[in-house]
Amino acid sequence: RIYAADYIGGRIQIFDPSGGFVGQWTMNPRTALHRLATDDTSVCVLQAGKVSRHEPGTGRQIATLPWQTSEWIDDLAFGLDGSVSLIGRSETIVRLRPDGSRVLEVRDAISQITDRTELSVRIAVDGNGDIYLLAGFQKAVFRFSASGKFLNRFGSGGDGPGQLRSPNDIAVDGQGRVYVSGSSGIHVFSGDGRYLYDFAPGNEVVFGLAFDDRGDLYAACRTRIVKFRLRPSV
């Protein structure tokens, strides 16, 4: 199933694999809804800096994720092992096991490398557990190992091949390729940062990216979701 959230108004809609409407539920309508993420059993909703788990069909809240009460969460991503990786507003990476216990914490993940505070960060995780942070203001991707060690960075601002303008989201496919969306379409990189190609759903800005377990890519545009079946290799 496909889950789509309205940024304003709190509505979460459910669609079947062919795009048919299934149902909906509503979160707090007064607070912007920043992110959805799913695992095998639940839908996680990021709103007002906190993450809550919900039943996929009804939206009934099951639980909340443990976190420092003072930390505002900016984004989250599930790993293949069921863990969830979070990025906080203070650039803190935290990885939690399914039972909520903490297995990784990296503070000041970006600013310790660049000496520049980053206020807009998105997170993605590959099949090996490596973590990719998309720094919106610095227009770059920072890659960390599963143990939290900084590995490399790639991307820069601009309109040329492999350059980013107003980047919005990041995702990694089953082959380890990295996808970054923004106002100039979707840019594709190898895991080590080599630019591969780009594409776009018309002239629309892509605000969100997600993969299903068959490797198809879903791009959330302003008023529609576009599904892509990607080429197996480049």
Side-chain angles (χ1 to χ4, degrees):
R1 288 183 168 179
I2 303 165
Y3 296 84
D6 293 342
Y7 178 69
I8 299 296
R11 180 179 62 166
I12 297 174
Q13 298 189 77
I14 310 168
F15 300 90
D16 64 27
S18 63
F21 177 74
V22 174
Q24 68 181 43
W25 78 81
T26 303
M27 299 290 292
N28 184 348
R30 297 187 178 91
T31 305
L33 205 158
H34 289 278
R35 175 68 89 190
L36 297 180
T38 62
D39 60 10
D40 292 337
T41 61
S42 63
V43 177
C44 283
V45 180
L46 174 56
Q47 190 175 39
K50 302 295 182 182
V51 178
S52 54
R53 284 185 182 267
H54 300 261
E55 286 185 346
T58 66
R60 183 181 69 87
Q61 183 169 321
I62 302 170
T64 57
L65 286 182
W67 184 252
Q68 302 170 85
T69 57
S70 62
E71 183 71 23
W72 180 285
I73 300 172
D74 268 342
D75 200 10
L76 73 156
F78 281 107
L80 293 180
D81 59 357
S83 65
V84 58
S85 296
L86 310 168
I87 182 70
R89 183 151 293 182
S90 62
E91 300 175 25
T92 300
I93 300 171
V94 170
R95 176 167 285 161
L96 305 174
R97 293 190 183 97
D99 63 4
S101 58
R102 188 173 305 191
V103 293
L104 175 68
E105 179 173 328
V106 181
R107 292 187 173 274
D108 304 318
I110 295 175
S111 57
Q112 68 172 314
I113 300 164
T114 65
D115 292 325
R116 292 174 55 193
T117 301
E118 179 57 58
L119 301 177
S120 176
V121 186
R122 294 290 178 263
I123 189 170
V125 178
D126 69 14
N128 296 319
D130 288 358
I131 298 167
Y132 296 80
L133 298 183
L134 172 63
F137 284 93
Q138 300 184 47
K139 298 178 177 59
V141 176
F142 296 79
R143 181 186 180 188
F144 297 81
S145 70
S147 62
K149 178 183 178 181
F150 172 69
L151 298 177
N152 66 311
R153 62 173 291 180
F154 55 90
S156 61
D159 296 311
Q163 293 186 314
L164 309 175
R165 180 173 293 281
S166 301
N168 291 317
D169 203 7
I170 186 170
V172 184
D173 70 10
Q175 299 184 46
R177 295 176 297 193
V178 182
Y179 297 72
V180 179
S181 69
S183 60
S184 55
I186 300 171
H187 303 273
V188 187
F189 302 85
S190 63
D192 59 6
R194 178 171 54 90
Y195 169 73
L196 300 177
Y197 65 98
D198 60 73
F199 60 99
N203 295 319
E204 294 184 83
V205 176
V206 177
F207 292 96
L209 297 171
F211 281 96
D212 65 18
D213 56 5
R214 289 185 291 269
D216 292 335
L217 175 66
Y218 297 79
C221 304
R222 192 172 297 279
T223 59
R224 64 178 182 143
I225 295 173
V226 181
K227 180 179 179 179
F228 294 92
R229 182 147 294 154
L230 301 168
R231 65 186 79 174
S233 61
V234 178

